[in-house]
Amino acid sequence: MSPALPIDWADWMVACAEAIALVVIVTGLLQTAFYFVQLVYAGAALAGRPPVPRSATLWRRYSEQAPAISVLAPAYNEELNIVESTRSLLALQYPDFEVIVINDGSKDATLQRLIDAYGLARVDRFVDGAVAHADIRGFYASPDVPRLLVVDKENGGKADALNAGINCCRTSLFCAIDADSILESDALLRVIRPFIDDPHLTIAAGGTIRIANGCRVDSGRIVGIGLPRSFLALVQIVEYLRAFLMARLGLSRMQALTVISGAFGLFKRRHVVEVGGYSHATVGEDMELVIKLHRLMRDRGQEYRIDFIAEPVCWTECPDSLQILSRQRARWQRGALECFAKHKDMLFNRKYGRIGFVGFGQILLVDVVGPLIEVLGYALIPLLWALGLLALPWLLAFLAITFTLGLFLSMATLVLEEIQLRRFPRARELAVLAAVAVLENFGYRQLSNFWRLQGWWQWMRKKQNWGTMTRKGFATSGG
């Protein structure tokens, strides 16, 4: 009997290797299948609600019925971009709005730059105590810029600053943006669309975030759209196109959207106050706010809509160094895990309908197990093949799923961009992005998953800090 043991042991090793390969490939197939469903729904959403090409048409259509909006821009150490960003907000094309910049205890010259640029002086302002936040040190305004209010407060983080803005605003709708970003001038006119089409149902809507690296900025406006020279910035452009034009648009069509980017989202103030505003003890406060809104409305049994609109665009500066990008990606991963763990009872819970099955199913598949399984596949499948424990067809199948289908999805997203939005009018730019979509599979994708594993590790260690994010500032037309 003893000679049979080595043969059984070898069979067992092969069976384990094939089981691991099967788990990796099946997970990859499920992810890819879900991405294809999102792509189909995204195409249907764009076909069902085609973009309005001219903002003048939107103005004629909505100017009489558009509700007032408060634009909340939290700022922490944003002295490089704060004046340009605020100028872009003040130049928005919208009938009735105010801009509230919240200086969240910046250690640089953010507040002084605003005071100098707009001739601000201290004023009084009523503050509602609806949601909690750190102490406010003062308000600044000028009769020459009646739409602008600057709130100076103790540092408490982005969520805390937004809560302060919610307490200070006087409108039923507020738009949360990042102060280091630039809204296109007609962004509010476009994102208000679902609130006018379905005023009693819509409680939140988000718009598209685009990378401004490589673009030229003049007086707080994007005056020239171009591509950056940095590969890291280019690959993030492709990532953002996939995330917004495919994933969020598709999930919105399914009414299973779990994230409205903190860089650009429009909310009904009343419902946000009812869920306690933005949560402090998370780095995924934008994601958790949307989940809390879903929970509130589902618990009440009320009909509602949370939409994503592709046309309104918010431009932001992305990291172009590995060190800063890794911190950002680890933080995003940590935020997704925090939200999933905090609201895990919603997963596959019939009470929460599509958001429980589709929305949380997507978080589980893509954010929770996705990086673990993919890195496991990268590490083990080639090793098992090298040891002769895995047949070549398994290895080729894994590579085909990882690269070929992922590449197809990226190309399909570029096609959607070209057909519907056309922010890149020159064929050369689309060709560059198509090449980047190929190259990202060889090194960058693996590195990105490693950063997500770092986020996993930080979440397990209950790390809470954001990490330092330094910026270079927008390229001005004169620079």
Side-chain angles (χ1 to χ4, degrees):
M1 296 296 292
S2 57
L5 285 176
I7 298 174
D8 292 340
W9 176 250
D11 290 343
W12 184 82
M13 292 279 288
V14 171
C16 284
E18 291 183 347
I20 292 171
L22 189 62
V23 168
V24 172
I25 290 173
V26 167
T27 305
L29 277 175
L30 286 174
Q31 280 191 4
T32 306
F34 192 71
Y35 290 148
F36 270 91
V37 172
Q38 288 179 347
L39 183 65
V40 171
Y41 272 84
L46 286 174
R49 185 185 275 173
V52 178
R54 292 171 55 84
S55 55
T57 305
L58 289 169
W59 183 272
R60 287 195 299 272
R61 186 180 298 173
Y62 295 146
S63 60
E64 293 296 324
Q65 49 186 330
I69 295 175
S70 293
V71 179
L72 309 184
Y76 176 71
N77 291 350
E78 300 285 357
E79 64 177 5
L80 282 177
N81 290 330
I82 192 63
V83 173
E84 291 287 305
S85 299
T86 303
R87 187 171 293 135
S88 79
L89 296 178
L90 293 170
L92 289 172
Q93 298 172 18
Y94 194 77
D96 188 5
F97 72 100
E98 68 172 345
V99 176
I100 301 178
V101 178
I102 307 111
N103 178 48
D104 188 37
S106 296
K107 296 176 182 175
D108 64 2
T110 298
L111 178 62
Q112 195 58 48
R113 293 253 174 139
L114 286 168
I115 291 173
D116 295 342
Y118 298 103
L120 304 178
R122 287 188 74 107
V123 295
D124 293 325
R125 175 88 167 198
F126 170 76
V127 180
D128 183 5
V131 291
H133 57 77
D135 291 341
I136 292 176
R137 299 188 290 216
F139 300 96
Y140 296 83
S142 167
D144 297 331
V145 197
R147 290 189 188 278
L148 176 63
L149 174 72
V150 173
V151 181
D152 182 33
K153 65 181 282 295
E154 300 289 343
N155 179 257
K158 182 181 174 183
D160 192 81
L162 285 168
N163 282 346
I166 291 169
N167 279 348
C168 294
C169 75
R170 297 167 174 165
T171 57
S172 61
L173 295 178
F174 73 87
C175 177
I177 73 158
D178 283 345
D180 61 342
S181 57
I182 293 178
L183 283 182
E184 288 194 346
S185 60
D186 59 0
L188 291 183
L189 272 176
R190 294 185 182 279
V191 80
I192 197 65
R193 190 173 175 179
F195 287 89
I196 292 178
D197 292 344
D198 294 304
H200 302 297
L201 293 179
T202 306
I203 62 171
T208 300
I209 310 300
R210 294 261 173 145
I211 302 295
N213 302 46
C215 298
R216 284 183 298 112
V217 178
D218 185 20
S219 301
R221 298 180 61 189
I222 299 289
V223 295
I225 296 176
L227 294 180
R229 295 180 179 178
S230 159
F231 175 77
L232 276 183
L234 283 169
V235 79
Q236 288 175 82
I237 290 177
V238 176
E239 286 182 322
Y240 275 52
L241 285 175
R242 277 199 304 263
F244 288 92
L245 276 186
M246 185 185 74
R248 295 191 188 176
L249 192 55
L251 288 169
S252 171
R253 179 76 172 186
M254 290 184 261
Q255 275 302 293
L257 189 65
T258 55
V259 184
I260 288 177
S261 172
F264 182 29
L266 186 60
F267 300 88
K268 276 189 177 174
R269 181 182 183 276
R270 175 167 63 89
H271 292 96
V272 173
V273 167
E274 286 175 338
V275 299
Y278 289 88
S279 300
H280 290 74
T282 177
V283 293
E285 74 287 334
D286 47 356
M287 183 179 191
E288 209 214 340
L289 176 63
V290 176
I291 292 173
K292 289 195 297 185
L293 290 172
H294 279 295
R295 181 187 283 275
L296 173 75
M297 304 307 282
R298 289 278 178 177
D299 285 345
R300 287 179 175 174
Q302 282 184 246
E303 291 188 26
Y304 68 102
R305 291 189 64 84
I306 295 179
D307 277 330
F308 171 81
I309 309 297
E311 304 154 69
V313 174
C314 174
W315 296 87
T316 189
E317 182 188 0
C318 73
D320 63 358
S321 79
L322 287 173
Q323 186 181 31
I324 297 175
L325 184 58
S326 66
R327 289 179 195 155
Q328 182 194 60
R329 296 308 163 89
R331 191 179 70 243
W332 287 0
Q333 177 67 26
R334 197 157 28 108
L337 294 175
E338 286 175 356
C339 291
F340 183 81
K342 194 170 182 178
H343 299 276
K344 58 183 179 297
D345 61 305
M346 295 174 72
L347 177 66
F348 302 143
N349 188 332
R350 293 178 59 187
K351 178 181 178 182
Y352 297 103
R354 295 181 184 182
I355 194 65
F357 283 88
V358 180
F360 268 76
Q362 188 250 357
I363 297 174
L364 175 66
L365 188 63
V366 176
D367 295 319
V368 179
V369 302
L372 299 176
I373 296 293
E374 190 156 337
V375 171
L376 182 69
Y378 290 139
L380 287 185
I381 289 187
L383 178 64
L384 295 173
W385 172 74
L387 293 174
L389 297 174
L390 195 65
L392 184 61
W394 284 98
L395 178 63
L396 294 178
F398 173 69
L399 293 176
I401 291 168
T402 304
F403 296 136
T404 309
L405 297 181
L407 183 60
F408 173 81
L409 289 169
S410 295
M411 295 301 174
T413 307
L414 286 176
V415 171
L416 280 182
E417 147 70 28
E418 178 58 15
I419 292 175
Q420 294 289 342
L421 301 181
R422 296 185 179 178
R423 288 297 196 282
F424 299 109
R426 288 176 290 190
R428 178 182 172 278
E429 293 167 337
L430 289 172
V432 169
L433 293 178
V436 170
V438 176
L439 294 175
E440 71 166 330
N441 290 290
F442 304 96
Y444 176 79
R445 178 170 175 164
Q446 293 75 20
L447 190 57
S448 179
N449 276 298
F450 174 73
W451 293 332
R452 296 174 73 188
L453 280 189
Q454 287 183 319
W456 250 103
W457 176 243
Q458 292 169 3
W459 174 72
M460 291 175 67
R461 295 176 60 202
K462 302 186 184 305
K463 185 176 179 179
Q464 283 294 322
N465 67 304
W466 273 64
T468 304
M469 298 290 291
T470 56
R471 300 182 185 280
K472 294 182 177 178
F474 296 118
T476 60
S477 58

